[in-house]
Each structure stands twice: as C-alpha cells, then as structure tokens.
Amino acid sequence: MGPGPGGAAAPSSASSSTSSSSSGASSSSSSALCSEEELLRKASISPEDVLGLPKITSDYLCTPEENVYKIDFTRFKIRDMESGTVLFEITKPPASEREHSNKKDIDPNAGRFVRYQFTPAFLRLRQVGATVEFTVGDKPINNFRMIERHYFRDQLLKSFDFEFGFCIPSSKNTCEHIYEFPQLSEDLIQEMIIHPYETQSDSFYFVDNKLVMHNKADYSYSGGP
C-alpha cells in the first residue's frame, strides 16, 4: 500500500496538499492483458500497460535511475478513516544522514519494498487514508499518477488509481489518498490471514504517462511477524 520511503532526496521549498479517492476497479477488462516479459521489452511503459497485468510482477519494471525527477518519499502514514486510529507510520532519516552511509553497501533496490504487518481486523476496514510526503528535484512534474494493484496469490483484489497532479521543482508535497476497500468474503479473509505475505501489491508511478518508479509490498494480517 503506497510507497516505501526510497529514492534520492531533494531540497524542499514549497508544500501542497491534495486528497483523492480510488477510481480503479477489481478487474482489468478495460485493458488488454499483457505479460511482464512483454512490458520489460518496451522502451517505455504506460498506465494502460500495467492495467493489463494479470498477476503480481516478479521483478521491478523500471530501474531506480529512471526516477529522473528525483521523487523521494520521506514519510508515509496509514489511518482508519472511521476512528482516526493511526495504523502504520514511517519516516525516512534526513538526507544528510543517508549521504554519510557507504554507497557501496547499499542495495540499489533498497527502499522500493515494504513489508506490512497488520491484525486481522484490518481486512474488515472499509476506508483507509494514506498520507504521503515527498520531495522532488529541480524538474517540474506534470501529470504525476500512481496505479496500485493488490493481489492475493494471482487474484486481483483491487486496482487503485490516484492523481498527484503538478509538482513544482524543488518542492515538498503532502497529500492523502483515500482507499475504498472491496468487500471480501469470510473464506477469502481467512485464507489471507493464514497465508501471510501472499497478499502483495505493485505501486507504479508515472509522469506524463511514462513509468518512472515501481515499488512493491507484501502484507501479513496475522497480527505478528
């Protein structure tokens, strides 16, 4: 769900706040089915391409270097919209601290994957707000969009589609996206609880309809590691 705090840091001089709701559907009938292998052969990947994926990807569809806009997610918070309870929150260390680490020891995909651990009650929530803070580099960003697809095994549970809009250069931005969760059967809920980390998501980020970032996550709903 949402971004893992990764990528390159950028100076911040402005702030904006937006709110959006999911517009995706739990099927991909509007896009032609395509395989991960087919997409990896393309020069660039579009939103329509990822909407045709029938299952979770096994690898990343772009490299960290393709984030030429230096989009850097620095804080992420999930809350239950009904009670206001904060369910998850993570903040990345300041850029100055990260720059002191030995770059030779850093996994190039570090920060692109998040593992979430929730209780079974999470699966019965109807609406969750995900607040994200991010900075951008010295290029303006037009039509910043995220498509996030959630699967249990090879079953698509929900596809979310969020617009971030325009981001000015060297800015710090905050927005909250509202996730409307699908109604799950009790049988499916029990399967998701007893099979931790078999629920997974791909988060695809686009600028001007070109894929520039790809993050992944998996989920446990058993209440512990």
Side-chain angles (χ1 to χ4, degrees), residues 123-124 126 155 157 181-189 192:
L123 292 171
R124 294 179 171 84
R126 304 305 305 135
Q155 176 185 350
L157 301 173
F181 287 164
Q183 184 100 30
L184 303 175
S185 70
E186 282 301 314
D187 287 346
L188 180 56
I189 286 174
M192 293 168 71

PDB file of all heavy atoms in Angstrom, residues 123-124 126 155 157 181-189 192:
ATOM      1  N   LEU A 123      -8.555  -6.257   7.639  1.00  0.00           N
ATOM      2  CA  LEU A 123      -9.251  -6.746   6.451  1.00  0.00           C
ATOM      3  C   LEU A 123     -10.733  -6.399   6.450  1.00  0.00           C
ATOM      4  O   LEU A 123     -11.406  -6.544   5.423  1.00  0.00           O
ATOM      5  CB  LEU A 123      -9.067  -8.261   6.324  1.00  0.00           C
ATOM      6  CG  LEU A 123      -7.642  -8.717   6.001  1.00  0.00           C
ATOM      7  CD1 LEU A 123      -7.518 -10.224   6.115  1.00  0.00           C
ATOM      8  CD2 LEU A 123      -7.244  -8.250   4.607  1.00  0.00           C
ATOM      9  N   ARG A 124     -11.249  -5.937   7.592  1.00  0.00           N
ATOM     10  CA  ARG A 124     -12.666  -5.577   7.672  1.00  0.00           C
ATOM     11  C   ARG A 124     -12.883  -4.067   7.663  1.00  0.00           C
ATOM     12  O   ARG A 124     -14.010  -3.603   7.776  1.00  0.00           O
ATOM     13  CB  ARG A 124     -13.287  -6.208   8.915  1.00  0.00           C
ATOM     14  CG  ARG A 124     -13.324  -7.739   8.813  1.00  0.00           C
ATOM     15  CD  ARG A 124     -13.926  -8.399  10.042  1.00  0.00           C
ATOM     16  NE  ARG A 124     -14.123  -9.830   9.813  1.00  0.00           N
ATOM     17  CZ  ARG A 124     -13.182 -10.755   9.966  1.00  0.00           C
ATOM     18  NH1 ARG A 124     -11.969 -10.377  10.347  1.00  0.00           N
ATOM     19  NH2 ARG A 124     -13.445 -12.032   9.730  1.00  0.00           N
ATOM     20  N   ARG A 126     -13.316  -0.445   6.014  1.00  0.00           N
ATOM     21  CA  ARG A 126     -13.965  -0.050   4.768  1.00  0.00           C
ATOM     22  C   ARG A 126     -13.211   1.057   4.046  1.00  0.00           C
ATOM     23  O   ARG A 126     -13.212   1.137   2.826  1.00  0.00           O
ATOM     24  CB  ARG A 126     -15.408   0.422   5.046  1.00  0.00           C
ATOM     25  CG  ARG A 126     -16.271  -0.586   5.757  1.00  0.00           C
ATOM     26  CD  ARG A 126     -16.359  -1.935   5.065  1.00  0.00           C
ATOM     27  NE  ARG A 126     -16.811  -1.818   3.683  1.00  0.00           N
ATOM     28  CZ  ARG A 126     -16.263  -2.446   2.671  1.00  0.00           C
ATOM     29  NH1 ARG A 126     -15.228  -3.256   2.862  1.00  0.00           N
ATOM     30  NH2 ARG A 126     -16.734  -2.290   1.454  1.00  0.00           N
ATOM     31  N   GLN A 155      -4.882 -13.614  -7.679  1.00  0.00           N
ATOM     32  CA  GLN A 155      -6.205 -12.985  -7.792  1.00  0.00           C
ATOM     33  C   GLN A 155      -6.103 -11.491  -7.548  1.00  0.00           C
ATOM     34  O   GLN A 155      -5.622 -11.050  -6.494  1.00  0.00           O
ATOM     35  CB  GLN A 155      -7.177 -13.608  -6.784  1.00  0.00           C
ATOM     36  CG  GLN A 155      -8.543 -12.947  -6.777  1.00  0.00           C
ATOM     37  CD  GLN A 155      -9.454 -13.502  -5.699  1.00  0.00           C
ATOM     38  OE1 GLN A 155      -9.136 -14.521  -5.060  1.00  0.00           O
ATOM     39  NE2 GLN A 155     -10.587 -12.854  -5.471  1.00  0.00           N
ATOM     40  N   LEU A 157      -7.328  -8.235  -6.253  1.00  0.00           N
ATOM     41  CA  LEU A 157      -8.316  -7.805  -5.269  1.00  0.00           C
ATOM     42  C   LEU A 157      -8.873  -6.432  -5.600  1.00  0.00           C
ATOM     43  O   LEU A 157     -10.073  -6.183  -5.477  1.00  0.00           O
ATOM     44  CB  LEU A 157      -7.686  -7.777  -3.864  1.00  0.00           C
ATOM     45  CG  LEU A 157      -7.106  -9.086  -3.348  1.00  0.00           C
ATOM     46  CD1 LEU A 157      -6.388  -8.839  -2.029  1.00  0.00           C
ATOM     47  CD2 LEU A 157      -8.211 -10.130  -3.179  1.00  0.00           C
ATOM     48  N   PHE A 181     -11.889   0.058   0.375  1.00  0.00           N
ATOM     49  CA  PHE A 181     -11.578  -1.359   0.270  1.00  0.00           C
ATOM     50  C   PHE A 181     -12.782  -2.160  -0.240  1.00  0.00           C
ATOM     51  O   PHE A 181     -13.933  -1.865   0.112  1.00  0.00           O
ATOM     52  CB  PHE A 181     -11.149  -1.918   1.630  1.00  0.00           C
ATOM     53  CG  PHE A 181      -9.776  -1.466   2.051  1.00  0.00           C
ATOM     54  CD1 PHE A 181      -9.374  -1.601   3.366  1.00  0.00           C
ATOM     55  CD2 PHE A 181      -8.882  -0.924   1.152  1.00  0.00           C
ATOM     56  CE1 PHE A 181      -8.100  -1.204   3.771  1.00  0.00           C
ATOM     57  CE2 PHE A 181      -7.618  -0.520   1.535  1.00  0.00           C
ATOM     58  CZ  PHE A 181      -7.228  -0.668   2.855  1.00  0.00           C
ATOM     59  N   PRO A 182     -12.515  -3.187  -1.040  1.00  0.00           N
ATOM     60  CA  PRO A 182     -13.615  -4.043  -1.507  1.00  0.00           C
ATOM     61  C   PRO A 182     -14.121  -4.926  -0.378  1.00  0.00           C
ATOM     62  O   PRO A 182     -13.409  -5.201   0.597  1.00  0.00           O
ATOM     63  CB  PRO A 182     -12.954  -4.876  -2.608  1.00  0.00           C
ATOM     64  CG  PRO A 182     -11.511  -4.961  -2.195  1.00  0.00           C
ATOM     65  CD  PRO A 182     -11.205  -3.630  -1.548  1.00  0.00           C
ATOM     66  N   GLN A 183     -15.369  -5.359  -0.506  1.00  0.00           N
ATOM     67  CA  GLN A 183     -15.933  -6.314   0.462  1.00  0.00           C
ATOM     68  C   GLN A 183     -15.353  -7.685   0.154  1.00  0.00           C
ATOM     69  O   GLN A 183     -15.462  -8.176  -0.965  1.00  0.00           O
ATOM     70  CB  GLN A 183     -17.446  -6.341   0.329  1.00  0.00           C
ATOM     71  CG  GLN A 183     -18.120  -7.226   1.341  1.00  0.00           C
ATOM     72  CD  GLN A 183     -18.693  -6.450   2.505  1.00  0.00           C
ATOM     73  OE1 GLN A 183     -19.088  -5.319   2.378  1.00  0.00           O
ATOM     74  NE2 GLN A 183     -18.711  -7.078   3.651  1.00  0.00           N
ATOM     75  N   LEU A 184     -14.720  -8.289   1.133  1.00  0.00           N
ATOM     76  CA  LEU A 184     -14.109  -9.604   0.953  1.00  0.00           C
ATOM     77  C   LEU A 184     -14.964 -10.674   1.624  1.00  0.00           C
ATOM     78  O   LEU A 184     -15.550 -10.436   2.691  1.00  0.00           O
ATOM     79  CB  LEU A 184     -12.702  -9.622   1.560  1.00  0.00           C
ATOM     80  CG  LEU A 184     -11.710  -8.579   1.038  1.00  0.00           C
ATOM     81  CD1 LEU A 184     -10.408  -8.661   1.828  1.00  0.00           C
ATOM     82  CD2 LEU A 184     -11.452  -8.763  -0.450  1.00  0.00           C
ATOM     83  N   SER A 185     -15.018 -11.840   1.031  1.00  0.00           N
ATOM     84  CA  SER A 185     -15.754 -12.942   1.647  1.00  0.00           C
ATOM     85  C   SER A 185     -15.001 -13.427   2.881  1.00  0.00           C
ATOM     86  O   SER A 185     -13.786 -13.271   2.993  1.00  0.00           O
ATOM     87  CB  SER A 185     -15.921 -14.090   0.657  1.00  0.00           C
ATOM     88  OG  SER A 185     -14.672 -14.724   0.418  1.00  0.00           O
ATOM     89  N   GLU A 186     -15.733 -14.034   3.804  1.00  0.00           N
ATOM     90  CA  GLU A 186     -15.095 -14.558   5.014  1.00  0.00           C
ATOM     91  C   GLU A 186     -14.079 -15.647   4.679  1.00  0.00           C
ATOM     92  O   GLU A 186     -13.029 -15.748   5.311  1.00  0.00           O
ATOM     93  CB  GLU A 186     -16.148 -15.089   5.996  1.00  0.00           C
ATOM     94  CG  GLU A 186     -16.862 -14.012   6.777  1.00  0.00           C
ATOM     95  CD  GLU A 186     -15.889 -13.161   7.613  1.00  0.00           C
ATOM     96  OE1 GLU A 186     -15.013 -13.738   8.291  1.00  0.00           O
ATOM     97  OE2 GLU A 186     -16.002 -11.921   7.580  1.00  0.00           O
ATOM     98  N   ASP A 187     -14.388 -16.457   3.682  1.00  0.00           N
ATOM     99  CA  ASP A 187     -13.449 -17.505   3.279  1.00  0.00           C
ATOM    100  C   ASP A 187     -12.138 -16.889   2.783  1.00  0.00           C
ATOM    101  O   ASP A 187     -11.043 -17.356   3.135  1.00  0.00           O
ATOM    102  CB  ASP A 187     -14.060 -18.377   2.178  1.00  0.00           C
ATOM    103  CG  ASP A 187     -15.145 -19.305   2.697  1.00  0.00           C
ATOM    104  OD1 ASP A 187     -15.242 -19.463   3.941  1.00  0.00           O
ATOM    105  OD2 ASP A 187     -15.903 -19.850   1.875  1.00  0.00           O
ATOM    106  N   LEU A 188     -12.229 -15.836   1.967  1.00  0.00           N
ATOM    107  CA  LEU A 188     -11.027 -15.191   1.451  1.00  0.00           C
ATOM    108  C   LEU A 188     -10.256 -14.514   2.581  1.00  0.00           C
ATOM    109  O   LEU A 188      -9.017 -14.588   2.626  1.00  0.00           O
ATOM    110  CB  LEU A 188     -11.396 -14.176   0.373  1.00  0.00           C
ATOM    111  CG  LEU A 188     -10.228 -13.423  -0.263  1.00  0.00           C
ATOM    112  CD1 LEU A 188      -9.205 -14.390  -0.862  1.00  0.00           C
ATOM    113  CD2 LEU A 188     -10.730 -12.458  -1.335  1.00  0.00           C
ATOM    114  N   ILE A 189     -10.956 -13.875   3.495  1.00  0.00           N
ATOM    115  CA  ILE A 189     -10.290 -13.232   4.638  1.00  0.00           C
ATOM    116  C   ILE A 189      -9.485 -14.253   5.424  1.00  0.00           C
ATOM    117  O   ILE A 189      -8.328 -14.016   5.791  1.00  0.00           O
ATOM    118  CB  ILE A 189     -11.322 -12.524   5.531  1.00  0.00           C
ATOM    119  CG1 ILE A 189     -11.816 -11.237   4.853  1.00  0.00           C
ATOM    120  CG2 ILE A 189     -10.727 -12.191   6.901  1.00  0.00           C
ATOM    121  CD1 ILE A 189     -12.941 -10.545   5.595  1.00  0.00           C
ATOM    122  N   MET A 192      -6.347 -15.214   3.603  1.00  0.00           N
ATOM    123  CA  MET A 192      -5.339 -14.152   3.660  1.00  0.00           C
ATOM    124  C   MET A 192      -4.679 -14.081   5.027  1.00  0.00           C
ATOM    125  O   MET A 192      -3.497 -13.732   5.139  1.00  0.00           O
ATOM    126  CB  MET A 192      -5.980 -12.813   3.291  1.00  0.00           C
ATOM    127  CG  MET A 192      -6.429 -12.741   1.824  1.00  0.00           C
ATOM    128  SD  MET A 192      -7.493 -11.327   1.448  1.00  0.00           S
ATOM    129  CE  MET A 192      -6.306  -9.976   1.565  1.00  0.00           C
TER     130      MET A 192
END
